[in-house]
Amino acid sequence: QVQLVESGGGLVQAGGSLRLSCAASGRTLSGLAMGWFRQAPGKEREFVAYISWLGTSTYYEDSVKGRFTISRDNAKNTVYLQMNSLKPEDTAVYYCAATWVSSRIPTRNEYRYWGQGTQVTVSS
């Protein structure tokens, strides 16, 4: 069993930056690909970014490409999401998730472990 805990959310002005962290416990992240998702009020949870378990492959939702960077430190059992040039439409609860699917980009339903989320609010 993997427990995931997100941190680093907060209130930031448009154009600012935040770095989210996702710390894992219970077992190592070895073999697990990781993703970040977000959910705004009244909207469905949507994919943001993906990283393979070795960190050699990443994938982003179109609206965050060039602004967000996903990375991981397997020695620290932690995954990060660096968010730059934030926009008000980035406001959401951000979740990290882990999946055993590594041969392709997994669907949302294939993520087995989820954190509780961290709030990101971007003011205009």
Side-chain angles (χ1 to χ4, degrees):
Q1 189 75 2
V2 178
Q3 290 81 44
L4 302 173
V5 178
E6 302 93 338
S7 62
L11 174 63
V12 64
Q13 288 189 331
S17 298
L18 283 174
R19 184 177 138 174
L20 306 183
S21 298
C22 172
S25 62
R27 57 149 286 151
T28 71
L29 292 177
S30 176
L32 286 165
M34 301 294 295
W36 283 96
F37 291 77
R38 65 186 179 186
Q39 188 168 17
K43 295 187 177 181
E44 290 192 356
R45 192 171 299 188
E46 65 174 3
F47 167 79
V48 175
Y50 161 91
I51 188 166
S52 60
W53 83 271
L54 286 176
T56 54
S57 178
T58 59
Y59 184 76
Y60 298 92
E61 192 270 329
D62 285 347
S63 69
V64 307
K65 284 180 182 176
R67 300 189 299 122
F68 290 11
T69 302
I70 188 171
S71 62
R72 65 191 295 163
D73 185 338
N74 287 340
K76 295 183 178 179
N77 244 20
T78 303
V79 179
Y80 306 96
L81 185 68
Q82 178 67 43
M83 305 187 296
N84 299 328
S85 302
L86 282 161
K87 304 175 181 180
E89 51 263 43
D90 294 319
T91 295
V93 178
Y94 282 71
Y95 300 88
C96 69
T99 176
W100 292 108
V101 175
S102 59
S103 59
R104 54 176 169 79
I105 303 300
T107 64
R108 187 179 68 180
N109 291 338
E110 290 176 319
Y111 284 85
R112 181 170 180 180
Y113 307 106
W114 291 82
Q116 294 300 304
T118 185
Q119 176 71 47
V120 171
T121 303
V122 184
S123 63
S124 56

